[in-house]
Amino acid sequence: MTQLNFADIHYFSVLNQNILLDVNSGSVHLIDECTMSALDALKMAEGDFERAAKLLNTEENEALVQLKELVKEGLLFTPDETGGFYQPPATTVKSLCLNISHDCNLACGYCFAAEGSFGGQRLNMPLETAKKAIDYLLANTKRTFCEVDFFGGEPLLNISVVQATVEYARAKAADVGKTIKFTLTTNAVGLTPKIEKWLDEAAVSVILSHDGRQKIHDTMRYFPNGRGSYDVVSANIGRYVVNHPDGDFYIRGTYTNKNLDFVADVEHWLQKGWRRLSMEPVVEKEAAYRIKEEDLPKIKDSYNKLARLYDAKRKEGQPFEFFHFNIDLQHGPCLLKRLTGCGAGHEYLVVTPEGDLYPCHQFVGREAWRLGNLATGIERPHLVEELKTAHVYNKPVCKKCWARFYCSGGCQANAQLFNNNLLEPYEIGCKISRLRLEYAIWVAVVPLA
């Protein structure tokens, strides 16, 4: 029997259920305590079944025999189909993020975009620049289906250009036999019934920013004069949800160390009748509200409670969506997505109001990572290559991590921010990803238990 690599399996316990994940195949097994003990012994014995057997009692040895059979049948410790080698395909852009406005009507305390300006001038993207961005996408993609995200700052401050860009893009894409899907992220301050109606009719997906309980929301999401935005934003989002129940939207929050009990914020949303939800950890290097190592137990407790809540609500016939619990154990993403993630810098680019190109919205303002301009194209191809080759197999930590095909190596911008090295992921981000992945797997398999 070949040498067993324990980076190719992961076994863990969540909410009284023992789970075994075969990393390369993605198969999941529900296992008992004897099997857990057998796996522990096998790991201590460095994959030697005979040595492991000497550490176990009779019942545990029966479980060990079953594990050995699974290995023989190719159902456990399955080999990586790529052999651990991956050559990225030729670069083709599949999506653009248009920073349609480098301005904002809020002054959120944790904003990585410096209140919308990204450290530069406050300005909106001209329509001509947006049109050139669409032309660039269509000229540089081999894909039939593409995506365009409207971001900022606050995109609704430049809604007329958003609307004109969608109209232009749809016509141009149709001319060359392509389809473009649109998404817009907004703080909802300027979300009016008229804009809502247009978003729905134009089939634009919407991400609505809200942080949950009023005290939590207003702590970070406030107007330039310091007044909290909860009342205004909640009213607008509430109206949107009621008027467009079948709309394509998510409500997205950010938790900091001020609301490590963020499950209470999810409950607050549910009380409002909002059921398509996402809650993300803040990414901050130095601020007092940053997530620290000592916060992880409380974060785990919140994901624990959230998984229980999620399961209880679906059993009551009142299910809700939580973005990070949406994993597909049957098929999952394609190999390219599993190894490279969002494709920042080679499949995905951000365009600023001036027409500059960056790998993603979090890189904007980091001049060393400006890739080029719509007028000149990519001026720093070596950076594109560096981003493209910063995939799972080239990251030493990721090669040993069971979550590598789910997080795809983590966020490139965060790796660069914290470690100045694309091949060294942001460690706390990794730990949070592994935490919530365990609960996501539990959520996926618990109906089978």
Side-chain angles (χ1 to χ4, degrees), residues 342-383:
C342 67
H346 52 102
E347 290 189 318
Y348 172 78
L349 295 169
V350 169
V351 184
T352 69
E354 303 95 330
D356 287 332
L357 300 171
Y358 285 86
C360 84
H361 57 277
Q362 292 196 69
F363 276 103
V364 174
R366 304 180 198 177
E367 180 58 29
W369 287 92
R370 191 184 72 85
L371 301 179
N373 187 277
L374 290 174
T376 57
I378 298 296
E379 301 166 9
R380 294 167 166 170
H382 65 286
L383 291 181

mmCIF file of all heavy atoms in Angstrom, residues 342-383:
data_model
loop_
_atom_site.group_PDB
_atom_site.id
_atom_site.type_symbol
_atom_site.label_atom_id
_atom_site.label_comp_id
_atom_site.label_asym_id
_atom_site.label_seq_id
_atom_site.Cartn_x
_atom_site.Cartn_y
_atom_site.Cartn_z
ATOM 1 N N CYS A 342 -10.555 33.397 -6.983
ATOM 2 C CA CYS A 342 -11.252 34.431 -7.754
ATOM 3 C C CYS A 342 -10.553 34.773 -9.063
ATOM 4 O O CYS A 342 -11.143 35.429 -9.927
ATOM 5 C CB CYS A 342 -11.412 35.690 -6.914
ATOM 6 S SG CYS A 342 -9.853 36.518 -6.549
ATOM 7 N N GLY A 343 -9.302 34.378 -9.217
ATOM 8 C CA GLY A 343 -8.585 34.677 -10.453
ATOM 9 C C GLY A 343 -8.112 36.115 -10.551
ATOM 10 O O GLY A 343 -7.918 36.652 -11.655
ATOM 11 N N ALA A 344 -7.894 36.758 -9.398
ATOM 12 C CA ALA A 344 -7.485 38.164 -9.385
ATOM 13 C C ALA A 344 -6.250 38.400 -10.239
ATOM 14 O O ALA A 344 -5.240 37.719 -10.111
ATOM 15 C CB ALA A 344 -7.209 38.612 -7.945
ATOM 16 N N GLY A 345 -6.357 39.376 -11.141
ATOM 17 C CA GLY A 345 -5.216 39.787 -11.946
ATOM 18 C C GLY A 345 -5.091 39.089 -13.275
ATOM 19 O O GLY A 345 -4.357 39.562 -14.144
ATOM 20 N N HIS A 346 -5.805 37.982 -13.458
ATOM 21 C CA HIS A 346 -5.722 37.310 -14.761
ATOM 22 C C HIS A 346 -7.095 36.925 -15.309
ATOM 23 O O HIS A 346 -7.326 37.014 -16.507
ATOM 24 C CB HIS A 346 -4.796 36.084 -14.695
ATOM 25 C CG HIS A 346 -5.093 35.115 -13.615
ATOM 26 N ND1 HIS A 346 -5.742 33.926 -13.830
ATOM 27 C CD2 HIS A 346 -4.817 35.151 -12.287
ATOM 28 C CE1 HIS A 346 -5.860 33.267 -12.675
ATOM 29 N NE2 HIS A 346 -5.302 33.990 -11.730
ATOM 30 N N GLU A 347 -8.012 36.517 -14.448
ATOM 31 C CA GLU A 347 -9.394 36.289 -14.884
ATOM 32 C C GLU A 347 -10.304 37.431 -14.454
ATOM 33 O O GLU A 347 -11.371 37.636 -15.042
ATOM 34 C CB GLU A 347 -9.931 34.990 -14.280
ATOM 35 C CG GLU A 347 -9.316 33.729 -14.840
ATOM 36 C CD GLU A 347 -10.053 32.499 -14.363
ATOM 37 O OE1 GLU A 347 -10.411 32.436 -13.175
ATOM 38 O OE2 GLU A 347 -10.279 31.607 -15.196
ATOM 39 N N TYR A 348 -9.879 38.133 -13.444
ATOM 40 C CA TYR A 348 -10.703 39.169 -12.823
ATOM 41 C C TYR A 348 -9.863 40.424 -12.655
ATOM 42 O O TYR A 348 -8.735 40.368 -12.162
ATOM 43 C CB TYR A 348 -11.179 38.643 -11.462
ATOM 44 C CG TYR A 348 -11.885 39.628 -10.568
ATOM 45 C CD1 TYR A 348 -13.213 39.963 -10.791
ATOM 46 C CD2 TYR A 348 -11.239 40.203 -9.472
ATOM 47 C CE1 TYR A 348 -13.875 40.850 -9.943
ATOM 48 C CE2 TYR A 348 -11.892 41.081 -8.618
ATOM 49 C CZ TYR A 348 -13.209 41.405 -8.858
ATOM 50 O OH TYR A 348 -13.858 42.275 -8.032
ATOM 51 N N LEU A 349 -10.394 41.567 -13.091
ATOM 52 C CA LEU A 349 -9.682 42.839 -12.980
ATOM 53 C C LEU A 349 -10.634 43.912 -12.453
ATOM 54 O O LEU A 349 -11.847 43.824 -12.637
ATOM 55 C CB LEU A 349 -9.151 43.291 -14.347
ATOM 56 C CG LEU A 349 -8.081 42.422 -15.016
ATOM 57 C CD1 LEU A 349 -7.887 42.874 -16.458
ATOM 58 C CD2 LEU A 349 -6.781 42.476 -14.248
ATOM 59 N N VAL A 350 -10.050 44.930 -11.828
ATOM 60 C CA VAL A 350 -10.811 46.087 -11.384
ATOM 61 C C VAL A 350 -10.406 47.294 -12.220
ATOM 62 O O VAL A 350 -9.219 47.471 -12.525
ATOM 63 C CB VAL A 350 -10.563 46.368 -9.891
ATOM 64 C CG1 VAL A 350 -11.135 47.724 -9.497
ATOM 65 C CG2 VAL A 350 -11.213 45.305 -9.048
ATOM 66 N N VAL A 351 -11.407 48.087 -12.560
ATOM 67 C CA VAL A 351 -11.167 49.320 -13.308
ATOM 68 C C VAL A 351 -11.538 50.498 -12.417
ATOM 69 O O VAL A 351 -12.643 50.563 -11.873
ATOM 70 C CB VAL A 351 -12.014 49.365 -14.594
ATOM 71 C CG1 VAL A 351 -11.663 50.612 -15.409
ATOM 72 C CG2 VAL A 351 -11.809 48.102 -15.427
ATOM 73 N N THR A 352 -10.619 51.452 -12.254
ATOM 74 C CA THR A 352 -10.880 52.648 -11.447
ATOM 75 C C THR A 352 -11.553 53.714 -12.323
ATOM 76 O O THR A 352 -11.594 53.589 -13.554
ATOM 77 C CB THR A 352 -9.568 53.225 -10.880
ATOM 78 O OG1 THR A 352 -8.801 53.766 -11.964
ATOM 79 C CG2 THR A 352 -8.767 52.151 -10.142
ATOM 80 N N PRO A 353 -12.060 54.791 -11.720
ATOM 81 C CA PRO A 353 -12.669 55.862 -12.519
ATOM 82 C C PRO A 353 -11.725 56.454 -13.563
ATOM 83 O O PRO A 353 -12.167 56.943 -14.607
ATOM 84 C CB PRO A 353 -13.053 56.904 -11.468
ATOM 85 C CG PRO A 353 -13.319 56.100 -10.239
ATOM 86 C CD PRO A 353 -12.279 55.008 -10.273
ATOM 87 N N GLU A 354 -10.420 56.398 -13.292
ATOM 88 C CA GLU A 354 -9.434 56.922 -14.256
ATOM 89 C C GLU A 354 -9.103 55.908 -15.341
ATOM 90 O O GLU A 354 -8.345 56.215 -16.266
ATOM 91 C CB GLU A 354 -8.137 57.312 -13.543
ATOM 92 C CG GLU A 354 -8.318 58.339 -12.439
ATOM 93 C CD GLU A 354 -8.461 57.717 -11.058
ATOM 94 O OE1 GLU A 354 -8.973 56.584 -10.965
ATOM 95 O OE2 GLU A 354 -8.058 58.373 -10.079
ATOM 96 N N GLY A 355 -9.637 54.684 -15.220
ATOM 97 C CA GLY A 355 -9.350 53.657 -16.215
ATOM 98 C C GLY A 355 -8.165 52.778 -15.882
ATOM 99 O O GLY A 355 -7.739 51.964 -16.705
ATOM 100 N N ASP A 356 -7.611 52.925 -14.673
ATOM 101 C CA ASP A 356 -6.493 52.069 -14.271
ATOM 102 C C ASP A 356 -6.980 50.659 -13.953
ATOM 103 O O ASP A 356 -8.114 50.462 -13.484
ATOM 104 C CB ASP A 356 -5.789 52.657 -13.045
ATOM 105 C CG ASP A 356 -4.965 53.886 -13.375
ATOM 106 O OD1 ASP A 356 -4.506 53.992 -14.529
ATOM 107 O OD2 ASP A 356 -4.798 54.744 -12.485
ATOM 108 N N LEU A 357 -6.105 49.699 -14.178
ATOM 109 C CA LEU A 357 -6.422 48.290 -13.949
ATOM 110 C C LEU A 357 -5.654 47.763 -12.742
ATOM 111 O O LEU A 357 -4.443 47.955 -12.638
ATOM 112 C CB LEU A 357 -6.054 47.454 -15.180
ATOM 113 C CG LEU A 357 -6.748 47.820 -16.491
ATOM 114 C CD1 LEU A 357 -6.127 47.055 -17.656
ATOM 115 C CD2 LEU A 357 -8.243 47.540 -16.418
ATOM 116 N N TYR A 358 -6.373 47.103 -11.852
ATOM 117 C CA TYR A 358 -5.779 46.473 -10.666
ATOM 118 C C TYR A 358 -6.277 45.027 -10.575
ATOM 119 O O TYR A 358 -7.299 44.677 -11.182
ATOM 120 C CB TYR A 358 -6.177 47.222 -9.393
ATOM 121 C CG TYR A 358 -5.458 48.534 -9.174
ATOM 122 C CD1 TYR A 358 -5.926 49.708 -9.744
ATOM 123 C CD2 TYR A 358 -4.305 48.593 -8.382
ATOM 124 C CE1 TYR A 358 -5.274 50.912 -9.540
ATOM 125 C CE2 TYR A 358 -3.646 49.802 -8.167
ATOM 126 C CZ TYR A 358 -4.135 50.950 -8.744
ATOM 127 O OH TYR A 358 -3.474 52.148 -8.534
ATOM 128 N N PRO A 359 -5.581 44.181 -9.803
ATOM 129 C CA PRO A 359 -6.003 42.776 -9.698
ATOM 130 C C PRO A 359 -7.381 42.595 -9.065
ATOM 131 O O PRO A 359 -8.120 41.682 -9.429
ATOM 132 C CB PRO A 359 -4.922 42.139 -8.824
ATOM 133 C CG PRO A 359 -3.742 43.034 -8.930
ATOM 134 C CD PRO A 359 -4.298 44.405 -9.103
ATOM 135 N N CYS A 360 -7.722 43.411 -8.068
ATOM 136 C CA CYS A 360 -9.046 43.358 -7.447
ATOM 137 C C CYS A 360 -9.270 44.659 -6.691
ATOM 138 O O CYS A 360 -8.353 45.477 -6.561
ATOM 139 C CB CYS A 360 -9.203 42.143 -6.525
ATOM 140 S SG CYS A 360 -8.562 42.364 -4.851
ATOM 141 N N HIS A 361 -10.494 44.838 -6.161
ATOM 142 C CA HIS A 361 -10.825 46.109 -5.519
ATOM 143 C C HIS A 361 -9.983 46.369 -4.276
ATOM 144 O O HIS A 361 -9.746 47.526 -3.927
ATOM 145 C CB HIS A 361 -12.316 46.148 -5.172
ATOM 146 C CG HIS A 361 -12.793 45.039 -4.298
ATOM 147 N ND1 HIS A 361 -13.123 43.795 -4.792
ATOM 148 C CD2 HIS A 361 -12.976 44.973 -2.970
ATOM 149 C CE1 HIS A 361 -13.505 43.020 -3.792
ATOM 150 N NE2 HIS A 361 -13.417 43.699 -2.670
ATOM 151 N N GLN A 362 -9.497 45.299 -3.625
ATOM 152 C CA GLN A 362 -8.687 45.528 -2.423
ATOM 153 C C GLN A 362 -7.263 45.957 -2.755
ATOM 154 O O GLN A 362 -6.558 46.491 -1.895
ATOM 155 C CB GLN A 362 -8.683 44.271 -1.551
ATOM 156 C CG GLN A 362 -10.042 43.989 -0.931
ATOM 157 C CD GLN A 362 -9.963 43.001 0.210
ATOM 158 O OE1 GLN A 362 -9.430 43.301 1.268
ATOM 159 N NE2 GLN A 362 -10.495 41.810 -0.019
ATOM 160 N N PHE A 363 -6.827 45.723 -3.977
ATOM 161 C CA PHE A 363 -5.490 46.171 -4.395
ATOM 162 C C PHE A 363 -5.485 47.642 -4.825
ATOM 163 O O PHE A 363 -4.421 48.256 -4.930
ATOM 164 C CB PHE A 363 -4.977 45.329 -5.567
ATOM 165 C CG PHE A 363 -4.311 44.039 -5.173
ATOM 166 C CD1 PHE A 363 -4.983 42.836 -5.315
ATOM 167 C CD2 PHE A 363 -3.021 44.020 -4.685
ATOM 168 C CE1 PHE A 363 -4.369 41.630 -4.968
ATOM 169 C CE2 PHE A 363 -2.392 42.835 -4.339
ATOM 170 C CZ PHE A 363 -3.074 41.636 -4.483
ATOM 171 N N VAL A 364 -6.669 48.194 -5.098
ATOM 172 C CA VAL A 364 -6.734 49.575 -5.592
ATOM 173 C C VAL A 364 -6.093 50.522 -4.578
ATOM 174 O O VAL A 364 -6.369 50.455 -3.377
ATOM 175 C CB VAL A 364 -8.190 49.993 -5.863
ATOM 176 C CG1 VAL A 364 -8.261 51.482 -6.224
ATOM 177 C CG2 VAL A 364 -8.775 49.165 -6.997
ATOM 178 N N GLY A 365 -5.233 51.389 -5.075
ATOM 179 C CA GLY A 365 -4.509 52.312 -4.207
ATOM 180 C C GLY A 365 -3.117 51.825 -3.852
ATOM 181 O O GLY A 365 -2.280 52.608 -3.390
ATOM 182 N N ARG A 366 -2.850 50.540 -4.068
ATOM 183 C CA ARG A 366 -1.496 50.012 -3.863
ATOM 184 C C ARG A 366 -0.776 50.143 -5.212
ATOM 185 O O ARG A 366 -0.850 49.252 -6.068
ATOM 186 C CB ARG A 366 -1.527 48.550 -3.404
ATOM 187 C CG ARG A 366 -2.352 48.314 -2.142
ATOM 188 C CD ARG A 366 -2.352 46.849 -1.744
ATOM 189 N NE ARG A 366 -3.443 46.532 -0.819
ATOM 190 C CZ ARG A 366 -3.708 45.319 -0.348
ATOM 191 N NH1 ARG A 366 -2.940 44.295 -0.697
ATOM 192 N NH2 ARG A 366 -4.733 45.124 0.462
ATOM 193 N N GLU A 367 -0.093 51.256 -5.385
ATOM 194 C CA GLU A 367 0.456 51.613 -6.692
ATOM 195 C C GLU A 367 1.350 50.527 -7.284
ATOM 196 O O GLU A 367 1.400 50.335 -8.503
ATOM 197 C CB GLU A 367 1.223 52.942 -6.587
ATOM 198 C CG GLU A 367 1.840 53.431 -7.881
ATOM 199 C CD GLU A 367 0.843 53.627 -9.013
ATOM 200 O OE1 GLU A 367 -0.338 53.930 -8.738
ATOM 201 O OE2 GLU A 367 1.247 53.483 -10.187
ATOM 202 N N ALA A 368 2.053 49.815 -6.428
ATOM 203 C CA ALA A 368 2.946 48.761 -6.923
ATOM 204 C C ALA A 368 2.185 47.653 -7.621
ATOM 205 O O ALA A 368 2.777 46.850 -8.358
ATOM 206 C CB ALA A 368 3.750 48.176 -5.762
ATOM 207 N N TRP A 369 0.862 47.603 -7.401
ATOM 208 C CA TRP A 369 0.049 46.544 -8.000
ATOM 209 C C TRP A 369 -0.888 47.074 -9.087
ATOM 210 O O TRP A 369 -1.806 46.374 -9.512
ATOM 211 C CB TRP A 369 -0.728 45.805 -6.917
ATOM 212 C CG TRP A 369 0.199 44.933 -6.129
ATOM 213 C CD1 TRP A 369 0.859 45.263 -4.985
ATOM 214 C CD2 TRP A 369 0.605 43.618 -6.471
ATOM 215 N NE1 TRP A 369 1.658 44.221 -4.585
ATOM 216 C CE2 TRP A 369 1.520 43.193 -5.473
ATOM 217 C CE3 TRP A 369 0.300 42.747 -7.510
ATOM 218 C CZ2 TRP A 369 2.123 41.941 -5.498
ATOM 219 C CZ3 TRP A 369 0.886 41.491 -7.546
ATOM 220 C CH2 TRP A 369 1.786 41.103 -6.539
ATOM 221 N N ARG A 370 -0.638 48.285 -9.558
ATOM 222 C CA ARG A 370 -1.380 48.771 -10.726
ATOM 223 C C ARG A 370 -0.869 48.029 -11.949
ATOM 224 O O ARG A 370 0.326 48.060 -12.264
ATOM 225 C CB ARG A 370 -1.181 50.282 -10.902
ATOM 226 C CG ARG A 370 -2.131 50.903 -11.930
ATOM 227 C CD ARG A 370 -1.826 52.385 -12.139
ATOM 228 N NE ARG A 370 -0.575 52.547 -12.876
ATOM 229 C CZ ARG A 370 -0.480 52.519 -14.217
ATOM 230 N NH1 ARG A 370 -1.564 52.338 -14.963
ATOM 231 N NH2 ARG A 370 0.690 52.675 -14.806
ATOM 232 N N LEU A 371 -1.758 47.334 -12.644
ATOM 233 C CA LEU A 371 -1.342 46.466 -13.750
ATOM 234 C C LEU A 371 -1.254 47.196 -15.078
ATOM 235 O O LEU A 371 -0.517 46.774 -15.969
ATOM 236 C CB LEU A 371 -2.324 45.289 -13.896
ATOM 237 C CG LEU A 371 -2.494 44.388 -12.678
ATOM 238 C CD1 LEU A 371 -3.506 43.297 -12.969
ATOM 239 C CD2 LEU A 371 -1.159 43.779 -12.256
ATOM 240 N N GLY A 372 -2.009 48.280 -15.202
ATOM 241 C CA GLY A 372 -2.020 48.997 -16.479
ATOM 242 C C GLY A 372 -3.195 49.936 -16.535
ATOM 243 O O GLY A 372 -3.691 50.399 -15.510
ATOM 244 N N ASN A 373 -3.682 50.177 -17.757
ATOM 245 C CA ASN A 373 -4.764 51.128 -17.965
ATOM 246 C C ASN A 373 -5.570 50.675 -19.184
ATOM 247 O O ASN A 373 -5.037 49.979 -20.059
ATOM 248 C CB ASN A 373 -4.197 52.532 -18.189
ATOM 249 C CG ASN A 373 -5.257 53.607 -18.241
ATOM 250 O OD1 ASN A 373 -5.867 53.837 -19.279
ATOM 251 N ND2 ASN A 373 -5.510 54.242 -17.107
ATOM 252 N N LEU A 374 -6.827 51.057 -19.235
ATOM 253 C CA LEU A 374 -7.649 50.675 -20.385
ATOM 254 C C LEU A 374 -7.045 51.167 -21.697
ATOM 255 O O LEU A 374 -7.179 50.516 -22.736
ATOM 256 C CB LEU A 374 -9.064 51.254 -20.228
ATOM 257 C CG LEU A 374 -9.948 50.631 -19.136
ATOM 258 C CD1 LEU A 374 -11.249 51.405 -19.018
ATOM 259 C CD2 LEU A 374 -10.217 49.159 -19.426
ATOM 260 N N ALA A 375 -6.388 52.305 -21.651
ATOM 261 C CA ALA A 375 -5.822 52.880 -22.874
ATOM 262 C C ALA A 375 -4.586 52.134 -23.345
ATOM 263 O O ALA A 375 -4.328 52.036 -24.556
ATOM 264 C CB ALA A 375 -5.492 54.350 -22.641
ATOM 265 N N THR A 376 -3.821 51.604 -22.403
ATOM 266 C CA THR A 376 -2.538 50.975 -22.756
ATOM 267 C C THR A 376 -2.550 49.455 -22.585
ATOM 268 O O THR A 376 -1.623 48.782 -23.032
ATOM 269 C CB THR A 376 -1.418 51.555 -21.866
ATOM 270 O OG1 THR A 376 -1.768 51.350 -20.494
ATOM 271 C CG2 THR A 376 -1.251 53.047 -22.124
ATOM 272 N N GLY A 377 -3.568 48.939 -21.916
ATOM 273 C CA GLY A 377 -3.608 47.504 -21.632
ATOM 274 C C GLY A 377 -2.723 47.149 -20.449
ATOM 275 O O GLY A 377 -2.349 48.006 -19.640
ATOM 276 N N ILE A 378 -2.358 45.890 -20.347
ATOM 277 C CA ILE A 378 -1.520 45.414 -19.245
ATOM 278 C C ILE A 378 -0.085 45.868 -19.461
ATOM 279 O O ILE A 378 0.545 45.536 -20.461
ATOM 280 C CB ILE A 378 -1.574 43.879 -19.124
ATOM 281 C CG1 ILE A 378 -2.999 43.422 -18.805
ATOM 282 C CG2 ILE A 378 -0.598 43.397 -18.055
ATOM 283 C CD1 ILE A 378 -3.537 43.887 -17.477
ATOM 284 N N GLU A 379 0.430 46.642 -18.515
ATOM 285 C CA GLU A 379 1.788 47.164 -18.611
ATOM 286 C C GLU A 379 2.775 46.372 -17.760
ATOM 287 O O GLU A 379 3.990 46.502 -17.945
ATOM 288 C CB GLU A 379 1.809 48.633 -18.141
ATOM 289 C CG GLU A 379 0.894 49.548 -18.950
ATOM 290 C CD GLU A 379 0.668 50.883 -18.266
ATOM 291 O OE1 GLU A 379 1.345 51.164 -17.251
ATOM 292 O OE2 GLU A 379 -0.194 51.650 -18.731
ATOM 293 N N ARG A 380 2.260 45.586 -16.830
ATOM 294 C CA ARG A 380 3.132 44.817 -15.945
ATOM 295 C C ARG A 380 2.750 43.337 -16.003
ATOM 296 O O ARG A 380 2.195 42.780 -15.060
ATOM 297 C CB ARG A 380 3.023 45.336 -14.513
ATOM 298 C CG ARG A 380 3.564 46.745 -14.336
ATOM 299 C CD ARG A 380 3.156 47.333 -12.995
ATOM 300 N NE ARG A 380 3.919 48.523 -12.665
ATOM 301 C CZ ARG A 380 3.645 49.334 -11.654
ATOM 302 N NH1 ARG A 380 2.618 49.062 -10.841
ATOM 303 N NH2 ARG A 380 4.385 50.391 -11.409
ATOM 304 N N PRO A 381 3.048 42.686 -17.141
ATOM 305 C CA PRO A 381 2.654 41.279 -17.303
ATOM 306 C C PRO A 381 3.298 40.360 -16.274
ATOM 307 O O PRO A 381 2.759 39.298 -15.966
ATOM 308 C CB PRO A 381 3.110 40.941 -18.724
ATOM 309 C CG PRO A 381 4.151 41.980 -19.062
ATOM 310 C CD PRO A 381 3.723 43.209 -18.337
ATOM 311 N N HIS A 382 4.436 40.779 -15.715
ATOM 312 C CA HIS A 382 5.097 39.937 -14.710
ATOM 313 C C HIS A 382 4.232 39.825 -13.450
ATOM 314 O O HIS A 382 4.242 38.779 -12.773
ATOM 315 C CB HIS A 382 6.486 40.490 -14.365
ATOM 316 C CG HIS A 382 6.470 41.834 -13.695
ATOM 317 N ND1 HIS A 382 6.190 43.007 -14.373
ATOM 318 C CD2 HIS A 382 6.675 42.189 -12.389
ATOM 319 C CE1 HIS A 382 6.252 44.028 -13.528
ATOM 320 N NE2 HIS A 382 6.536 43.553 -12.325
ATOM 321 N N LEU A 383 3.468 40.893 -13.131
ATOM 322 C CA LEU A 383 2.578 40.821 -11.978
ATOM 323 C C LEU A 383 1.401 39.892 -12.257
ATOM 324 O O LEU A 383 0.956 39.157 -11.378
ATOM 325 C CB LEU A 383 2.067 42.212 -11.610
ATOM 326 C CG LEU A 383 3.087 43.190 -11.033
ATOM 327 C CD1 LEU A 383 2.414 44.527 -10.705
ATOM 328 C CD2 LEU A 383 3.747 42.615 -9.781
#
